[in-house]
Amino acid sequence: MASSINSLEAIQKKIDAVKLFLSVSLSIANAHTVDFYTCDVWDQFMAVPPVEVLTEITLNGDHKRAPEHYLNHGSGTTKKITFGFCDDSKRLVDVAELLEAAYAHSLPGLGVCVGRTELLQSLRHTDNAQPLEEVPAAVVESDEFMNSKKSHEVQAMSEVVASLAQRCRVKQVIDVGSGKGYLCSFLSLQYGLQVYGIDSSSVNTHGAQERNRKLKKYSRAYQRHSKANRTPTVMPPSGQEDLEDIAPGEREGGDMVKTSGDAEKEEGKGRRDGEAQTNTTGLTDRNEEDAMTSLTSAILLEDNSLPELDQSDPASAPEDPFLSALCVGMVEPTSPRVPPSELSLEERERRKRENLERKARSWVNSGGMGSGMLYSPLTSYVTAETELKEIIGELEDAVMVGLHTCGDLAPSTLRMFVAKRELLSVCSVGCCYHLLSEEFDPTRQECPSSSVCGFPLSGYLREQSWFCGRNARMSACLALERVAKGQGIQMESLFYRAVLHVILRDHYSSFKSEKRVGNVYSKATSFVDYVWRALRRLELDESKLSDSVIQGYHDTYRPRMVEMEAFNMLKVTLAPCIEGLILLDRLCYLKEQEDVAFSTLVQLFDPLLSPRCYGVVGVKAPGMELSE
């Protein structure tokens, strides 16, 4: 990582190159799909037929020219063309050149990112770094209690975070936007780190607190049980004192604990008064496998039974017909796990038992609570101004992390890292760019003048008052790699919404409404049914229309559906460039700080599994500089 490649000046030049490209092409990303026909979007921006666009995208040629190729492109020609757009008409005339420029101004094309392996090698091969240590025998099979996407993310990011902690010689990690605590659990179990998970949702932290409570209840008993494997006596007379913090209703016969089946009943249906234990044998009569199954069932059952909570849940985001019409998994990939319903009851029980026993064996062998491998889930809304010492009473020097922190939380994480002396390193992976507030938004709707906005973050872009626009940030959420693999866009729902907008324009005085159409497409049996449902949702007069009139609109615009498909594929193509500018802005912000000794962008994840795959890493530990 040569310093000239990753210096502040070099990053600023990369930002300039992306800005120049977006100054020409950003209008496509900011065009709203709902207005596609009412505003004649295709004719406004395109001078080529839609089939040509789709053909060029399908060919997926080697669009890998250097950004410098485009800086003076068009000079000496009769009609000047910049990035495929005619300078005079501002319309697209050369699709291939636009696709080449889009790749050249994405993060891979700019060559600004380092790989995860390269970063790990750099972190570990310094004079001050210590060898990365894992907790003995604490091998966590993350894919057994997470879906494949989350497992991939947690394993990849935790190794980087643990290396940062080792390099900075700290044992504390602060996970902002920790959700259900998947990353926290892995960091504490696998690497023995003390992790504080902060999330604004009490629902998220409640699940983590329940796991934490069960670990506290059972850990001492199983530590003693583990030691007893080496002695003739399994449980000494003082064993009951080790279980004194277990509520009376959670044990029977003095020293007995619940079996796996009872733990499942407690987690799934709640405790029933008078419910009999299915196994009344005391802990002294149990073998090691049963004991570990009981422990782990209580700890991890939530992870096996509850779906993953996605921070980018569309239900909490403003309506956008384009994103809502994407194929399942295009913005966020789905889990390829085999549905439990396809397995027999015996197979499900066998797999559950084996998984729980394996996890419990790792926990018992590693010492449980005695090794300090629990994390503390905390509920708090944090901003850059948050005083961490008021949330974490035992705050020490720490690494701050964020895995897919939504909207403004990602830049707030970087601001906290810069402002707090005790934060020596940061690893931040953002998401939900459409929820970012922009300081120079002309409408000022998303960023009131009294608040700190999420974009731009760097002084360099703020001096230029750069503004992307909400529709462009929505486009930045798309996953080009997944679309390239054939998971395209469900065009019919987008088409329905755009034609509905034409009907609202033609038959109703105002087609702007405070009410939302919502997801009526999934319930509609035809376009006619879709329109009737939408009118009822908008509380509009249905007597103005008839089935034949509605169907006529559908038949008129159906031949132009290919225009919408081609246009939205161009939006997907531009997505990495917009995301790249947002991330370069964050990297530039860190490089502007005098006390940040090292900062870089790193590709942490496989983009097919996790589209938001880039992390921003920074270190400000004094006296431990890395070459950039």
Side-chain angles (χ1 to χ4, degrees):
M1 288 181 284
S3 58
S4 60
I5 296 177
N6 212 14
S7 65
L8 173 61
E9 293 75 15
I11 296 303
Q12 289 175 342
K13 289 182 179 179
K14 302 289 187 183
I15 290 176
D16 289 340
V18 179
K19 278 178 48 199
L20 180 61
F21 172 65
L22 291 179
S23 67
V24 176
S25 60
L26 196 62
S27 57
I28 291 180
N30 268 320
H32 206 299
T33 308
V34 169
D35 300 321
F36 191 79
Y37 297 122
T38 56
C39 296
D40 293 323
V41 170
W42 184 264
D43 290 337
Q44 182 180 351
F45 295 106
M46 301 291 148
V48 293
V51 174
E52 180 178 335
V53 174
L54 294 175
T55 300
E56 285 290 343
I57 293 176
T58 302
L59 290 176
N60 194 24
D62 187 19
H63 309 307
K64 297 184 179 180
R65 295 181 184 175
E68 292 76 9
H69 166 81
Y70 300 97
L71 294 180
N72 298 311
H73 185 75
S75 57
T77 60
T78 304
K79 181 179 291 186
K80 297 186 66 175
I81 299 174
T82 305
F83 306 125
F85 289 86
C86 175
D87 289 355
D88 296 330
S89 67
K90 310 301 182 185
R91 300 169 75 198
L92 180 65
V93 296
D94 190 332
V95 180
E97 182 163 339
L98 173 62
L99 298 180
E100 291 173 356
Y103 176 83
H105 295 91
S106 65
L107 291 180
L110 292 168
V112 71
C113 288
V114 300
R116 192 178 71 93
T117 301
E118 182 182 357
L119 175 65
L120 289 172
Q121 291 175 347
S122 179
L123 291 173
R124 294 169 183 173
H125 292 83
T126 62
D127 294 337
N128 297 280
Q130 302 295 319
L132 183 63
E133 298 178 358
E134 294 185 1
V135 177
V139 179
V140 181
E141 300 289 342
S142 63
D143 57 346
E144 298 293 346
F145 59 95
M146 308 178 201
N147 64 32
S148 61
K149 172 181 178 290
K150 184 60 68 177
S151 175
H152 170 68
E153 294 166 351
V154 166
Q155 292 190 67
M157 187 167 180
S158 63
E159 188 175 8
V160 172
V161 174
S163 296
L164 288 170
Q166 196 81 8
R167 179 189 172 282
C168 296
R169 299 189 179 187
V170 301
K171 296 295 290 183
Q172 280 193 2
V173 174
I174 301 173
D175 185 359
V176 180
S178 57
K180 281 291 186 181
Y182 295 106
L183 178 63
C184 298
S185 298
F186 198 86
L187 285 169
S188 60
L189 285 170
Q190 191 79 0
Y191 297 102
L193 295 169
Q194 182 183 9
V195 186
Y196 293 93
I198 304 176
D199 197 276
S200 63
S201 170
S202 59
V203 174
N204 285 341
T205 55
H206 176 71
Q209 288 169 345
E210 283 299 297
R211 287 190 291 274
N212 195 19
R213 179 180 67 86
K214 292 177 175 62
L215 286 172
K216 289 180 179 179
K217 288 192 302 181
Y218 291 108
S219 60
R220 285 183 292 176
Y222 284 105
Q223 287 180 62
R224 185 176 296 277
H225 179 66
S226 180
K227 293 177 182 178
N229 291 332
R230 299 186 295 271
T231 64
T233 305
V234 176
M235 180 65 72
S238 60
Q240 186 167 350
E241 295 179 1
D242 286 329
L243 296 174
E244 62 185 0
D245 55 344
I246 301 179
E250 295 181 287
R251 66 186 182 200
E252 292 187 14
D255 295 335
M256 293 178 287
V257 296
K258 290 190 173 184
T259 64
S260 175
D262 291 316
E264 292 173 20
K265 292 176 184 177
E266 177 183 347
E267 293 296 317
K269 300 179 181 179
R271 188 183 299 113
R272 298 178 181 176
D273 294 334
E275 180 179 50
Q277 296 281 2
T278 58
N279 185 349
T280 58
T281 305
L283 183 59
T284 56
D285 296 326
R286 288 187 178 174
N287 58 38
E288 182 179 3
E289 299 301 313
D290 289 339
M292 290 186 293
T293 298
S294 176
L295 165 66
T296 318
S297 177
I299 297 169
L300 298 175
L301 184 60
E302 285 184 336
D303 293 324
N304 285 307
S305 60
L306 293 179
E308 176 189 355
L309 294 181
D310 193 343
Q311 294 188 41
S312 57
D313 183 0
S316 62
E319 177 189 25
D320 185 85
F322 183 49
L323 288 184
S324 64
L326 298 177
C327 270
V328 175
M330 180 177 166
V331 177
E332 289 295 335
T334 57
S335 170
R337 294 171 68 93
V338 177
S341 59
E342 297 182 10
L343 299 174
S344 66
L345 178 61
E346 292 77 10
E347 178 66 12
R348 291 201 299 268
E349 290 299 324
R350 185 189 67 80
R351 291 189 180 188
K352 181 185 296 184
R353 183 171 60 255
E354 291 179 355
N355 294 340
L356 295 178
E357 289 170 359
R358 180 165 54 252
K359 297 184 186 75
R361 186 179 297 108
S362 298
W363 173 257
V364 172
N365 291 340
S366 60
M369 279 285 290
S371 298
M373 291 184 296
L374 285 182
Y375 78 93
S376 302
L378 306 169
T379 301
S380 178
Y381 181 83
V382 294
T383 65
E385 290 74 33
T386 299
E387 188 57 56
L388 294 175
K389 292 182 179 179
E390 296 179 1
I391 303 175
I392 304 172
E394 300 177 354
L395 180 65
E396 302 173 357
D397 288 347
V399 175
M400 173 161 279
V401 303
L403 175 54
H404 290 157
T405 46
C406 285
D408 286 348
L409 185 55
S412 291
T413 299
L414 298 180
R415 286 191 173 106
M416 278 190 282
F417 163 67
V418 169
K420 312 301 181 185
R421 178 187 57 79
E422 54 272 5
L423 299 179
L424 301 186
S425 183
V426 66
C427 182
S428 171
V429 181
C431 69
C432 305
Y433 302 126
H434 59 294
L435 299 180
L436 273 174
S437 60
E438 295 199 64
E439 181 176 0
F440 302 103
D441 178 1
T443 65
R444 302 294 292 179
Q445 293 178 352
E446 297 177 321
C447 186
S449 57
S450 60
S451 65
V452 178
C453 298
F455 181 84
L457 185 62
S458 68
Y460 187 70
L461 271 183
R462 293 186 67 210
E463 289 175 357
Q464 302 173 56
S465 303
W466 182 261
F467 170 70
C468 284
R470 185 174 182 276
N471 288 338
R473 287 183 281 108
M474 287 289 255
S475 298
C477 297
L478 303 176
L480 174 62
E481 292 80 5
R482 294 185 67 82
V483 176
K485 291 296 183 180
Q487 297 190 15
I489 304 170
Q490 295 176 347
M491 289 306 306
E492 189 174 65
S493 62
L494 293 175
F495 172 72
Y496 279 13
R497 184 62 183 88
V499 178
L500 171 66
H501 212 54
V502 177
I503 294 175
L504 295 178
R505 179 197 64 183
D506 292 350
H507 295 272
Y508 300 90
S509 58
S510 174
F511 52 92
K512 296 290 185 181
S513 173
E514 295 181 359
K515 294 182 173 59
R516 295 170 49 175
V517 172
N519 186 22
V520 300
Y521 172 79
S522 62
K523 303 175 183 178
T525 59
S526 65
F527 178 71
V528 174
D529 185 37
Y530 172 87
V531 172
W532 290 128
R533 289 175 179 271
L535 293 178
R536 287 192 290 270
R537 179 71 65 87
L538 297 173
E539 299 180 358
L540 296 175
D541 184 5
E542 300 177 36
S543 64
K544 294 184 177 182
L545 297 173
S546 65
D547 287 356
S548 60
V549 171
I550 295 173
Q551 186 62 41
Y553 277 93
H554 176 277
D555 297 343
T556 298
Y557 285 93
R558 181 72 186 188
R560 296 182 57 187
M561 186 174 172
V562 66
E563 296 176 358
M564 178 177 286
E565 180 181 0
F567 193 84
N568 284 326
M569 289 302 293
L570 290 177
K571 276 192 170 187
V572 174
T573 301
L574 295 175
C577 308
I578 304 168
E579 179 183 33
L581 181 64
I582 293 172
L583 295 179
L584 285 172
D585 171 59
R586 295 174 183 178
L587 177 61
C588 185
Y589 170 75
L590 291 185
K591 292 191 175 295
E592 291 171 346
Q593 313 305 317
E594 294 183 357
D595 60 342
V596 175
F598 169 79
S599 57
T600 190
L601 287 176
V602 56
Q603 181 175 332
L604 292 171
F605 314 133
D606 180 348
L608 288 175
L609 282 175
S610 182
R612 306 283 75 79
C613 61
Y614 297 105
V616 182
V617 173
V619 180
K620 63 179 178 183
M624 292 190 288
E625 295 188 1
L626 288 172
S627 61
E628 294 188 345

